[in-house]
Amino acid sequence: MAARFKDLVLDANDHQALADWWCAALGYTRRLPPPGEADPPPEWPVPIHDPQGNGPLIWVSPVPESKSVKNRMHLDVWGRTDELLALGATLLRAREGERDWDVLADPEGNEFCVFTPDAHGIPASRLTRR
């Protein structure tokens, strides 16, 4: 094994605001420093995590440049497109035909795909060809 998954990292011009946006979208919270350690300076990357411990740690890192081309890697999430749009996401491509997901962008333009859970909140197990 040459590598093992660790964390996800999202680049952002306003990393503080985008961290808050993804916390609201995913139900994540900012990861606090260990007891006795000071809060990191505001210019440092912001770690956010799933308080239930189910999702990966995400670092929202400040970068000076704006996003200019399509992501080569993106997030897939279970969720409700209308709720994400109400939070400030942008619809890039609506589901149609055999594609059962919407493509959205976060407030800084990072693309992600949204799959709708079934009526009981359980992700559908159907495999879809991309």
Side-chain angles (χ1 to χ4, degrees):
M1 171 175 59
R4 189 177 65 174
F5 182 81
K6 182 181 179 296
D7 303 325
L8 294 173
V9 180
L10 292 173
D11 290 345
N13 294 130
D14 186 346
H15 66 294
Q16 296 290 339
L18 197 62
D20 290 340
W21 190 87
W22 278 105
C23 282
L26 295 173
Y28 271 40
T29 59
R30 289 174 178 240
R31 189 179 72 179
L32 300 175
E37 283 191 27
D39 287 339
E43 65 271 12
W44 283 17
V46 177
I48 63 173
H49 70 115
D50 177 355
Q52 305 300 317
N54 296 321
L57 178 68
I58 300 173
W59 290 88
V60 185
S61 295
V63 296
E65 68 278 357
S66 296
K67 183 179 174 304
S68 61
V69 297
K70 182 183 182 301
N71 295 13
R72 294 297 302 257
M73 184 181 292
H74 65 267
L75 302 178
D76 283 352
V77 301
W78 296 109
R80 308 245 184 261
T81 296
D82 59 334
E83 293 176 9
L84 291 161
L85 293 173
L87 287 173
T90 303
L91 179 65
L92 300 179
R93 195 170 72 192
R95 67 189 75 218
E96 63 182 345
E98 291 188 21
R99 191 181 70 241
D100 64 349
W101 63 90
D102 292 318
V103 180
L104 277 63
D106 71 17
E108 290 213 11
N110 299 303
E111 296 100 0
F112 63 101
C113 295
V114 181
F115 294 80
T116 305
D118 73 10
H120 304 288
I122 300 168
S125 60
R126 188 174 98 202
L127 295 178
T128 306
R129 182 175 175 211
R130 285 197 174 246

